[in-house]
Amino acid sequence: MTTSSVQARIVDASLALGGTEVLHGLSQEVSLVPDPAGVGAFLAVHPTLVSQTLDRQPNRPAVRGVSSAMSWNLGCPTGVRRFFACHRKSPFWMEPGVGTDWTRLPGETQFVLFQREDGNCLLIAPLMDASFRYALEGSATGLLINGESNDTETRGPGPGVAAFLALGQEPYALIAHAARAVAAHFGLPLRHEKPLPDFIDDFGWCTWDAFYQEVTPEGISQGLASLAEAGVPPRFLIIDDGWLSVASGLKGEQRLTALEPNHKFQGSLADTVRLAKDQHGVRRVLAWHAMTGSWSGLDETRLPGYEVRQVAKSFGPGVLQNNPTLNHGWWGNRVGLPSRKAIPRFYQDYHAMLAAQGIDGVKVDGQAMMEGCASGSGGRVALIRDFREALEESVARHFEGRLINCMSHHTETWYLSPRSNLTRFSDDFYPLKADRHGPHLWINAAIGLWFGEFQQGDWDMFHSRHPLGAFHAAGRAVSGSPLYVSDKPGHHDADLLHKLVFPDGTVARARGVGRLCPDTLFQDPIQEPCLLKIFNHNRHGAVVGAFQVHADGPPLSGQVSAADIPDLAASEHVLYAHTTGRLQRGGCLDLSLPAMGWEIVTLAPVERGLAVVGLAHLMNSGAALQSLQWSGSTCAIALRDGGRLVAWSAARPLAVRAHGRELSYTFETDTGRLSIEVPAGGAISCEIEISP
């Protein structure tokens, strides 16, 4: 894939990109819009010519005319071998899906990659315009693109840019170029162009699973003290749901009644924040709240200053297909929203109060609830745009951008977030749902493939002493996500946590977004007999996590090699397996993993006959390396801490030292394994001198 201009044409209802037909049988209401970046093409839809409502069931005949929910036929994708897609199962979360029959592409698909018979991949990303948001769906008659405003008074655009398409042989390069074109279309910076929250490299603790809504100041103190006693004091804290002042209703409503914390915290989080920071060394404290304050919004009688109106939920037909009770369940059938002009003032007041109490950031939940609150607002896109702009502005002003977006997998989050850069990629970690642990990792890595171009992923908390704690820890080690647990006080696996956390409270985090490896991209590791493989990068080298995500059944075999990292720079690498300690130069590392088994393989580039892997005790060994610098035949290695440093060398080194002192090491002539005992106790540099 190159960035040279790609010719796009529609002739006789067939769409060709670069001379290759990719869709045939397009509706005449679909037209091309040139891509200024020259990567692919945008598709516009024209409801003014002809339209069809989304009530496509036999008992709901098509209706001609402009509507607030409409559908267009993109025709049939040509030469499809397999597809990979991300679709919403609820307003809040997406899941991946793969298959061979594109007509069964799930509704609410927000990204799809078709693997074609000719070796190319076709990418289609549904977008949004000023009034409509779009999603894909397979059908027997063609690929449908469905648009909706969720507001009966906000009808179809004319025309609206509904999707972006691009074609290329290498899917990861294709995705990167396509994301840049889409970002330019929206005037949006990509993930790597935005700063990350400053707590992302700190070890954290969240109160949710530890206490759920019964969180108290005493419980928070106990949890922090317990982790400190285990030798892994958290450096950031999330005070999750349970601190808000809310009133419950007969239909499950939870409405915010005051900005100040509830009686458990005596109206202020200040004492709890001071205790966390002064007594337990916490650097950053985040507080939870919903996009609308609480789950059902604001109480208009107790918060009269924000011109609150109770809006009946009106979710679109796409998500209602999966969740027919959405408009009446999930915390009642009405949400209390501040008026449009009061939205910025609400967030500014709320966050100013929290900041004055020492809070450093917020986790904002239930964000996709907003799309169901668009009645009479000018449509979901406009409403969510107002809320997002006000939220990001307030977070920038009061918290220096420290924001975790959560329950927010609707289109608007990805393309209307120019200032935030951390979003939960998956539904919750469910400690008691045995069938969700394997899918949890697959979902996170799958979402990262496209949406990781726009946001850094948060893979959620886990429990260190859970029976599958090591499985989840291994996933987090390759994820690039913040690393935090929700252990109950006294329930910790300190040995496991020390494989992830440095003594200074920072974590061995991979630097990018954990994504599916190429050979597993179009496979379903939950249903098919294959390993789930996830790759990421460190400052030096790369890392691959391999997982057997079947809860039962026989062991599965697989391989890890340099081919698992699409954009690996060096030509030769050494592979190191964390659990077995196996070290080999080049080739494929063979694996056999039992049910819910895992392995993490670090790939270290060979330079001048030396490959520095990292610290053996860490799951992501290479994350310990701050830098490698050569001076003649001496390699200077800056480490984040000491321990057993593993490397490969073509010959026995001439010298190994730190601060002028010789270090103890062993060298295996037959394998090239070099093991160096580096003094622990903080950041340290050492040198390996080899034969020139």
Side-chain angles (χ1 to χ4, degrees), residues 246-521:
V246 297
S248 299
L250 297 177
K251 297 181 179 180
E253 302 95 335
Q254 288 191 22
R255 293 198 173 93
L256 194 70
T257 58
L259 303 186
E260 294 75 22
N262 59 34
H263 65 281
K264 293 183 294 183
F265 292 85
Q266 299 182 348
S268 176
L269 297 175
D271 288 345
T272 298
V273 172
R274 276 195 298 270
L275 179 141
K277 293 182 177 180
D278 296 346
Q279 296 188 27
H280 298 290
V282 172
R283 295 171 183 146
R284 301 296 184 196
V285 180
L286 278 65
W288 177 97
H289 69 75
M291 190 83 166
T292 54
S294 187
W295 294 112
S296 306
L298 312 183
D299 186 311
E300 71 272 23
T301 61
R302 302 187 198 183
L303 290 168
Y306 303 108
E307 303 169 1
V308 176
R309 63 187 181 100
Q310 296 296 328
V311 181
K313 292 181 186 175
S314 181
F315 282 96
V319 294
L320 287 176
Q321 288 182 29
N322 297 326
N323 295 265
T325 63
L326 273 173
N327 288 336
H328 306 286
W330 295 71
W331 310 293
N333 61 357
R334 290 180 177 272
V335 179
L337 296 186
S339 69
R340 298 286 279 274
K341 68 179 182 180
I343 294 169
R345 179 158 41 88
F346 167 66
Y347 283 132
Q348 294 288 345
D349 291 351
Y350 207 5
H351 293 163
M353 179 273 297
L354 290 172
Q357 295 174 15
I359 293 296
D360 302 291
V362 284
K363 172 187 173 184
V364 179
D365 219 333
Q367 294 191 17
M369 183 69 74
M370 299 304 306
E371 71 183 67
C373 302
S375 294
S377 69
R380 55 179 284 180
V381 176
L383 179 67
I384 297 171
R385 185 188 303 273
D386 285 352
F387 268 87
R388 287 220 61 81
E389 287 180 353
L391 174 65
E392 292 197 346
E393 170 61 30
S394 182
V395 168
R397 177 177 178 180
H398 297 290
F399 304 129
E400 298 179 356
R402 301 182 191 96
L403 168 64
I404 301 176
N405 297 301
C406 192
M407 296 179 71
S408 55
H409 281 191
H410 51 342
T411 303
E412 290 88 344
T413 296
W414 310 110
Y415 307 136
L416 291 178
S417 299
R419 303 175 76 171
S420 62
N421 199 13
L422 188 59
T423 294
R424 269 275 299 280
F425 273 10
S426 70
D427 199 349
D428 292 7
F429 163 78
Y430 290 108
L432 301 181
K433 293 186 178 181
D435 62 341
R436 297 304 296 168
H437 296 292
H440 187 91
L441 299 195
W442 184 39
I443 291 167
N444 275 290
I447 300 303
L449 192 71
W450 171 254
F451 299 97
E453 297 290 328
F454 301 92
Q455 290 276 317
Q456 187 75 25
D458 176 351
W459 287 32
D460 199 21
M461 66 198 88
F462 70 102
H463 298 176
S464 67
R465 202 192 275 186
H466 190 275
L468 291 175
F471 177 87
H472 280 279
R476 305 316 188 273
V478 299
S479 68
S481 163
L483 197 150
Y484 57 110
V485 296
S486 192
D487 293 354
K488 294 181 182 297
H491 291 74
H492 317 296
D493 185 335
D495 291 340
L496 175 63
L497 292 175
H498 284 133
K499 296 178 181 180
L500 302 166
V501 185
F502 292 104
D504 65 357
T506 62
V507 298
R509 188 179 68 87
R511 308 316 296 177
V513 171
R515 293 176 287 167
L516 299 171
C517 290
D519 64 346
T520 60
L521 179 54

Side-chain angles (χ1 to χ4, degrees), residues 158-183:
V161 175
F164 180 78
L165 290 82
L167 185 72
Q169 290 187 336
E170 207 290 304
Y172 298 87
L174 174 67
I175 286 169
H177 291 307
R180 184 167 293 281
V182 168

Side-chain angles (χ1 to χ4, degrees), residues 441 445 459 478 514-517 532-536 543-545 547:
L441 299 195
W459 287 32
V478 299
R515 293 176 287 167
L516 299 171
C517 290
L532 167 65
K533 294 196 300 184
I534 302 167
F535 76 92
N536 210 327
V543 62
V544 173
F547 304 88

